[in-house]
Amino acid sequence: MTDSSRMAAALTEAARTLHGPRSLAETLDTIVQTAVMTLPAFDHAGVSIIHRDGRLETVAGTDPLVWELDSLQYEFDEGPCLDSLREDPMVLVENAAQEHRWANYIPKALTSGLRAQMALRLYIQDETLGGLNLYSTRADRVDPESRELAELFATHAAIALGRARHEDRLNQAIGIIMERYQPPTTRVPAPDQSGSQSTAAQCPLEGSIGHRLPAGRRAGPVITTLELDVLGEGR
């Protein structure tokens, strides 16, 4: 099998794994676990996300070393992870012991065993979702095939993450709306002398959003732009 064939097969298998139906938390864990299985040049992987206030947070990692190296970059406000989110969407470090960028981060990372690193921005169109951070403690070099495969993998990871995040926020919005617009509990009065209930008792949704909709359109609460904006989808 040629290098191109191996890369295509690895990427196809990774895509099948990433794009399966999963929750947001499951998707994040799948991304990092699939990364180290698909990209043999790296033995540690993590995903960082950007909060609306600009704060970075590691939300998934294969092992504690990921959190340790990510935290160093956040603490010093420098490193491949941050540069990939601010400048070049792909930042590569080889022979970390000879790296002169990031004067604060690299010496600390070396003591933790870092030898090579690759940081890739996860984005969809113009929206940055976060970053995929790949670390190697086994090799100093990253071969060209692994670089290309990592960039293609990051594209699939961003699509999977974007979909899972959208569905997660949609479910949150639905939960908020359903809680807010729960129809009031009504007491069913005893039948009158004719054996029928009062008119009020026959309209248990009086005052609810479903009752206020025009006839024939009482399908349930509607998710408004405002609701989604509160959850970050209305941007």
Side-chain angles (χ1 to χ4, degrees), residues 6 15 32 39 48 92 106 117 162 202 205 222:
R6 281 197 299 272
V32 298
L39 308 170
S48 302
L92 177 66
I106 288 295
Q117 179 176 345
Q202 296 174 19
L205 295 182
V222 176

Side-chain angles (χ1 to χ4, degrees), residues 5-212:
S5 298
R6 281 197 299 272
M7 186 168 67
L11 187 62
T12 298
E13 184 60 31
R16 288 198 186 103
T17 303
L18 290 175
H19 295 302
R22 291 180 177 82
S23 68
L24 178 57
E26 290 169 340
T27 297
L28 288 165
D29 186 62
T30 299
I31 288 172
V32 298
Q33 297 299 334
T34 306
V36 294
M37 290 189 293
T38 306
L39 308 170
F42 304 99
D43 45 342
H44 312 273
V47 172
S48 302
I49 62 168
I50 306 174
H51 291 279
R52 302 185 81 180
D53 60 1
R55 179 172 50 89
L56 288 171
E57 180 186 7
T58 302
V59 290
T62 52
D63 51 80
L65 181 64
V66 171
W67 270 271
E68 179 183 344
L69 295 175
D70 284 1
S71 296
L72 286 172
Q73 293 172 87
Y74 305 157
E75 177 185 350
F76 294 124
D77 193 34
E78 66 175 34
C81 173
L82 279 75
D83 280 8
S84 71
L85 297 174
R86 295 170 176 172
E87 301 172 12
D88 193 331
M90 190 278 285
V91 179
L92 177 66
V93 176
E94 295 182 293
N95 297 307
Q98 301 177 23
E99 179 61 63
H100 299 293
R101 295 172 290 179
W102 314 298
N104 295 304
Y105 165 65
I106 288 295
K108 293 285 188 180
L110 290 174
T111 63
S112 297
L114 180 69
R115 298 177 65 178
Q117 179 176 345
M118 190 173 186
L120 301 113
R121 186 185 307 168
L122 298 176
Y123 63 95
I124 300 175
Q125 296 178 340
D126 295 330
E127 181 184 8
T128 296
L129 305 176
L132 175 65
N133 301 312
L134 305 169
Y135 303 102
S136 176
T137 55
R138 296 182 303 201
D140 295 314
R141 305 286 298 179
V142 180
D143 61 272
E145 179 184 339
S146 294
R147 298 180 203 176
E148 183 178 358
L149 184 57
E151 292 188 82
L152 293 170
F153 178 89
T155 298
H156 282 280
I159 294 171
L161 178 57
R163 185 192 65 246
R165 190 185 69 163
H166 174 77
E167 292 176 356
D168 183 72
R169 288 177 169 176
L170 189 61
N171 288 333
Q172 289 183 50
I174 291 172
I176 290 173
I177 293 171
M178 295 303 293
E179 181 178 353
R180 183 174 302 169
Y181 296 117
Q182 278 289 337
T185 303
T186 58
R187 181 179 60 84
V188 179
D192 58 21
Q193 293 182 352
S194 65
S196 62
Q197 296 178 347
S198 67
T199 302
Q202 296 174 19
C203 301
L205 295 182
E206 180 70 40
S208 72
I209 188 171
H211 183 71
R212 292 196 297 272

